[in-house]
Amino acid sequence: MKFVWSLPNILTYLRIVAVPAVVAAFYLEDDAGRWVAFGLFAAASITDYFDGYLARLWKQQSTLGRMLDPIADKLLVSVCLLVLTYHGTIGGFSLWAAVIILMREIFVSGLREFLADLKVSVPVTRLAKWKTTLQLVAIGILLLGPTGDKLIDGITELGLVLLWTAALVTLYTGYDYFRSGVVYLMEERHEP
């Protein structure tokens, strides 16, 4: 309970609260909704870096923070992908990039939960951190979508290319996690 209200955990809580706020921003009229959604998303994305960094720097790492951080990431990414799909920014063949990302996130969460029951920890790899960064940058650009295209022609296409890049890295890191955990998945366990 010592670090429940530490700044690193508060940043994680704020990232979770930002998720419905990003969705609500799309109810605003005209381009304002996309700009507000982008601003909220960008702020939430930045907290993803600082919560862990500050927790390590100030020695305020907590079990609660270790549990909530990946949940906050997955909520932010998955809900934004759903909103972008609903509003047509992600559609057609690019929908598959979003499906790959969502499937991997659910798969890795399940694998981590299974391995945690076995007292096996699978550390986050540097590539998985880059995967998250790619996803956040792609989604941020896509949240601007047509509004961003008014400022910089082709911004939506750039976002879709980055989303596909993120999906490919996501697929690889999912395979990497599976490869690390497959030994434990194939073990025969005998219940007493």
Side-chain angles (χ1 to χ4, degrees):
M1 294 295 286
K2 181 178 177 184
F3 296 119
V4 170
W5 293 110
S6 66
L7 181 58
N9 279 347
I10 290 170
L11 292 174
T12 302
Y13 305 151
L14 289 173
R15 192 159 70 255
I16 292 169
V17 169
V19 173
V22 169
V23 175
F26 271 85
Y27 288 99
L28 297 174
E29 300 276 328
D30 303 319
D31 293 342
R34 285 195 178 259
W35 280 111
V36 171
F38 172 77
L40 291 167
F41 180 83
S45 296
I46 290 167
T47 69
D48 185 37
Y49 171 76
F50 281 107
D51 61 0
Y53 173 76
L54 294 174
R56 287 185 297 277
L57 180 68
W58 295 340
K59 297 182 180 13
Q60 293 182 347
Q61 293 164 300
S62 67
T63 304
L64 179 64
R66 278 190 294 277
M67 180 202 65
L68 285 180
D69 183 66
I71 291 172
D73 294 345
K74 285 165 183 37
L75 286 172
L76 188 63
V77 166
S78 59
V79 170
C80 286
L81 288 174
L82 290 171
V83 167
L84 289 166
T85 301
Y86 176 78
H87 284 278
T89 308
I90 298 173
F93 191 68
S94 291
L95 182 61
W96 286 105
V99 169
I100 289 167
I101 290 169
L102 290 172
M103 286 180 64
R104 182 269 188 200
E105 297 302 343
I106 293 167
F107 173 75
V108 169
S109 294
L111 180 62
R112 283 182 174 278
E113 185 176 333
F114 171 78
L115 293 174
D117 285 345
L118 301 177
K119 308 288 189 257
V120 175
S121 174
V122 181
V124 176
T125 64
R126 184 176 298 271
L127 187 59
K129 290 182 182 193
W130 278 105
K131 176 261 326 170
T132 301
T133 301
L134 269 171
Q135 287 178 355
L136 296 176
V137 170
I139 290 169
I141 290 171
L142 290 170
L143 284 170
L144 283 176
T147 300
D149 287 331
K150 292 176 185 175
L151 290 176
I152 302 171
D153 192 38
I155 199 79
T156 300
E157 287 76 19
L158 173 63
L160 292 172
V161 167
L162 289 173
L163 186 70
W164 271 107
T165 305
L168 293 174
V169 174
T170 297
L171 200 57
Y172 179 79
T173 59
Y175 167 75
D176 204 29
Y177 279 118
F178 177 74
R179 197 181 60 198
S180 297
V182 74
V183 173
Y184 302 99
L185 292 171
M186 299 304 167
E187 280 183 359
E188 288 293 323
R189 294 248 178 229
H190 302 286
E191 300 295 322

